[in-house]
């Protein structure tokens, strides 16, 4: 969003000098009155900024300002407030607020990496092309993007102080980045009643594999419902809905509640987590620390911003923007 509604115009100051001759030792007793100073370029005689001159008549910048406030005032004002609360917090924590072009570019690459999931950093030309296509599709301007990225750089400085990376986080990232495998057992039945009855038996200590062989209508039931699911790669045996549920099972022995996918009902059990092949955790630990740090910063950036905005005492003075805010509050469910 735009972070200003007015533009600073370059003012040309017209200086007038005095023609004083070397032989003239005494100034005239009644000097001529000075001519009125010309209005600076871009202003009329009343000191008002001029947008354009149409057929000799000034069109004032105030008209553009009023139109922008009417049409876009609240969302633009909210972005300005967001920038301000971040600026104040940086000062409170004695952190720098300056953002260099290199830092802005690095933040843009991190954001686009999360959007497009590319591995190798693009060149400047590639970045501009990729970003241009994305912004065009989203109907954002480059200035809006740069403003958001600049704020995110500042938020990352606040987030960095909160991050604590644990070994568990690194090992989870290891499975995700290098596509570890989940060995999952699966039971598929035709009705919810059957699924609930089987789930009750499993909860009471029943053998999941035997129950799968006996009751599952899925072809995998013959092998006790055993399926291998990549933590990143898709599964041919299960619908995407079930794959997502399987990936939420955290430890061996975890069993899902009965759930519906398509016309059938399913139960899943996590049997084993297999580490990635051909990659050792210790060899990529430093890389994983950087990956996890970036993920945590991205997560904390918006969390911190929400916290700062919720604590801020903001009062919109402009009546048009204040009315827009009240209308927006009433429209919320």
């Amino acid at each position: 969003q735009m972070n200003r509604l007015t533009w600073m115009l370059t003012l040309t100051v017209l200086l007038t000098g005095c023609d004083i001759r070397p032989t003239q030792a005494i100034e005239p007793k009644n000097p001529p009155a000075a001519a009125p100073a010309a209005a600076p370029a871009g202003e009329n005689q009343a000191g008002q900024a001029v947008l354009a001159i149409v057929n000799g008549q000034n069109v004032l910048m105030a008209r553009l300002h009023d139109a922008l406030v009417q049409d876009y005032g609240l969302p633009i004002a909210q972005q300005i407030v967001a920038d301000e609360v971040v600026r104040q917090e940086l000062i409170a924590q004695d952190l720098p607020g300056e953002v260099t072009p290199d830092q802005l570019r690095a933040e843009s690459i991190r954001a686009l990496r999360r959007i497009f999931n590319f591995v190798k950093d693009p060149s400047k030309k590639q970045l501009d092309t990729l970003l241009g296509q994305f912004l065009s599709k989203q109907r954002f301007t480059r200035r809006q993007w740069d403003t958001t990225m600049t704020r995110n750089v500042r938020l990352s400085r606040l987030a960095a102080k909160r991050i604590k990376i644990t070994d568990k986080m690194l090992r989870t990232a290891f499975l995700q980045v290098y596509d570890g495998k989940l060995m999952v057992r699966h039971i598929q039945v035709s009705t919810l009643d059957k699924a609930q009855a089987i789930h009750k038996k499993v909860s009471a200590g029943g053998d999941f594999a035997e129950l799968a062989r006996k009751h599952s209508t899925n072809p995998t039931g013959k092998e006790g419902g055993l399926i291998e699911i990549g933590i990143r790669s898709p599964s041919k045996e299960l619908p995407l809905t079930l794959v997502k549920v399987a990936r939420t099972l955290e430890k061996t022995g975890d069993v899902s509640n009965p759930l519906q996918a398509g016309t059938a009902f399913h139960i899943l059990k996590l049997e084993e987590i297999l580490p990635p092949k051909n990659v050792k955790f210790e060899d990529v630990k430093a890389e994983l620390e950087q990956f996890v740090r970036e993920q945590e910063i991205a997560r904390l950036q918006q969390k911190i911003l929400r916290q700062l905005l919720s604590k801020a005492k903001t009062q919109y003075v402009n009546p048009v923007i204040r009315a827009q805010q009240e209308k927006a509050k009433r429209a919320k469910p």
Side-chain angles (χ1 to χ4, degrees), residues 99-146:
V99 176
T100 67
D102 286 344
Q103 291 168 337
L104 178 61
R105 181 176 184 275
E107 185 65 26
S108 294
I109 290 174
R110 280 191 289 269
L112 290 173
R113 185 185 295 122
R114 292 191 293 270
I115 295 169
F116 295 105
N117 200 32
F118 57 77
V119 177
K120 186 178 178 181
D121 287 352
S123 65
K124 184 180 184 304
K125 183 177 180 180
Q126 291 170 331
L127 174 65
D128 289 341
T129 300
L130 189 64
L131 183 53
Q133 293 171 349
F134 174 75
L135 295 179
S136 176
K137 185 176 181 180
Q138 299 298 322
R139 296 185 179 181
F140 266 50
T141 67
R142 181 61 183 262
R143 193 207 57 77
Q144 289 172 320
W145 173 269
D146 287 347

Side-chain angles (χ1 to χ4, degrees), residues 39-55:
E43 290 186 2
N44 64 5
Q45 290 294 335
Q48 298 172 303
V50 176
L51 169 66
I53 301 174
V54 181
N55 296 325

Side-chain angles (χ1 to χ4, degrees), residues 45-223:
Q45 290 294 335
Q48 298 172 303
V50 176
L51 169 66
I53 301 174
V54 181
N55 296 325
Q57 298 294 316
N58 288 341
V59 178
L60 301 182
M61 283 291 295
R63 290 177 61 179
L64 175 59
H65 171 273
D66 291 344
L68 290 172
V69 170
Q70 289 283 350
D71 293 344
Y72 308 107
L74 182 59
I76 295 172
Q78 288 171 331
Q79 294 303 314
I80 295 173
V81 168
D83 288 337
E84 178 60 17
V85 296
V86 173
R87 185 191 71 82
Q88 292 179 10
E89 187 64 18
L90 287 170
I91 292 173
Q93 296 195 27
D94 196 26
L95 293 171
E98 181 184 357
V99 176
T100 67
D102 286 344
Q103 291 168 337
L104 178 61
R105 181 176 184 275
E107 185 65 26
S108 294
I109 290 174
R110 280 191 289 269
L112 290 173
R113 185 185 295 122
R114 292 191 293 270
I115 295 169
F116 295 105
N117 200 32
F118 57 77
V119 177
K120 186 178 178 181
D121 287 352
S123 65
K124 184 180 184 304
K125 183 177 180 180
Q126 291 170 331
L127 174 65
D128 289 341
T129 300
L130 189 64
L131 183 53
Q133 293 171 349
F134 174 75
L135 295 179
S136 176
K137 185 176 181 180
Q138 299 298 322
R139 296 185 179 181
F140 266 50
T141 67
R142 181 61 183 262
R143 193 207 57 77
Q144 289 172 320
W145 173 269
D146 287 347
T147 298
T148 302
M149 293 301 103
T150 297
R151 184 168 63 235
N152 282 349
V153 172
R154 292 169 176 152
L155 283 167
S156 69
R157 293 168 186 167
L158 299 172
K161 299 180 70 173
R162 299 192 186 188
I163 293 175
K164 294 181 179 179
I165 299 176
T166 64
D167 187 71
K168 181 180 178 181
M169 293 166 67
L170 294 178
R171 293 190 180 276
T172 299
F174 179 53
L175 296 173
Q176 293 173 342
V177 173
Y178 293 98
D179 200 19
K181 306 298 179 185
L182 302 176
M183 300 305 297
V184 175
R185 291 196 185 274
H186 168 228
I187 295 175
Q188 175 180 311
V189 291
S190 58
T191 67
L192 178 59
D193 288 343
K194 289 182 180 179
Q196 290 175 333
I198 294 171
H199 188 269
K200 187 175 181 179
K201 291 180 181 180
V202 171
S203 300
D207 189 308
F208 197 100
E210 286 302 317
L211 290 169
R213 292 187 184 96
K214 185 176 180 180
H215 298 288
S216 182
T217 59
N218 191 280
T220 61
K222 297 177 182 179
E223 287 78 36

